[in-house]
Amino acid sequence: VIPLSRNRAGSEMLGGGRALASVWNNDEDVVPMCMVTHTWSGLFWHLVAGVFSIFLDGPHAFAASASTRFYGQTMSWLRSAKGCAKIRALLAAHGTLRSAVWICAFSVNQHRSICGGFGDPDPENPEEFERRLRDTATGQGFSACNCGMQRVATGPLSEMNKFDDMMA
């Protein structure tokens, strides 16, 4: 998220950044159909399967059973290009292919919140902290962002402390 949302002028990196959703939407406002939360300890694949599962249920998309009805099948389809094409076709058939979803990892400006470091290790679980410093697929270590944007962790300008208010 951090490298892709860094402010740029062509291929030149500039200071600061913005929400990855703003990059993907060319800074156009997009109204989401729903908000989906995640856990940093979860796999991205599971998050994607959960979101697609909701929208694969067409007119029942926001029913309580929607996220479980297609989850297992969606996980299976995501394993191949043919399966991904199947998901795309089904979403198009249900009229939900272009539906927007608010996912905090993409919709908040991570540069304002967490870049420039990796947080503090948990003294009770230093192995977990070390694991989070590496890409789970490649094993390569992450580099901290050096965009220089001022971090805002609390207060009205923070984008990270609004979860409880949004869920109320």
Side-chain angles (χ1 to χ4, degrees):
V1 171
I2 295 283
L4 296 174
S5 59
R6 180 89 179 258
N7 287 333
R8 300 171 188 269
S11 62
E12 181 185 351
M13 295 286 231
L14 302 174
R18 55 201 170 129
L20 187 55
S22 296
V23 174
W24 288 338
N25 295 320
N26 296 313
D27 290 317
E28 294 291 324
D29 290 339
V30 176
V31 178
M33 299 273 302
C34 67
M35 176 185 158
V36 176
T37 190
H38 69 95
T39 174
W40 285 109
S41 63
L43 297 176
F44 182 70
W45 177 42
H46 296 165
L47 173 66
V48 171
V51 170
F52 285 157
S53 297
I54 293 168
F55 288 97
L56 284 172
D57 218 8
H60 309 289
F62 296 100
S65 63
S67 62
T68 59
R69 189 186 325 240
F70 288 101
Y71 184 76
Q73 184 63 58
T74 302
M75 292 282 287
S76 176
W77 286 333
L78 284 171
R79 294 177 189 263
S80 70
K82 184 177 178 181
C84 289
K86 172 81 170 174
I87 293 170
R88 185 179 180 84
L90 287 170
L91 290 171
H94 289 303
T96 55
L97 181 60
R98 298 279 179 214
S99 297
V101 177
W102 191 95
I103 299 173
C104 62
F106 307 131
S107 300
V108 301
N109 185 348
Q110 303 292 343
H111 294 275
R112 172 123 4 245
S113 311
I114 64 171
C115 83
F118 301 103
D120 297 321
D122 179 354
E124 302 291 320
N125 193 354
E127 297 83 21
E128 172 63 18
F129 180 76
E130 182 62 32
R131 185 189 65 77
R132 288 187 293 137
L133 298 178
R134 302 198 166 279
D135 185 301
T136 56
T138 67
Q140 295 292 317
F142 293 118
S143 298
C145 180
N146 62 357
C147 73
M149 187 170 222
Q150 180 183 359
R151 291 175 71 176
V152 180
T154 60
L157 297 179
S158 173
E159 296 181 47
M160 301 297 283
N161 62 352
K162 308 296 188 275
F163 185 78
D164 291 340
D165 292 336
M166 297 220 18
M167 299 307 292

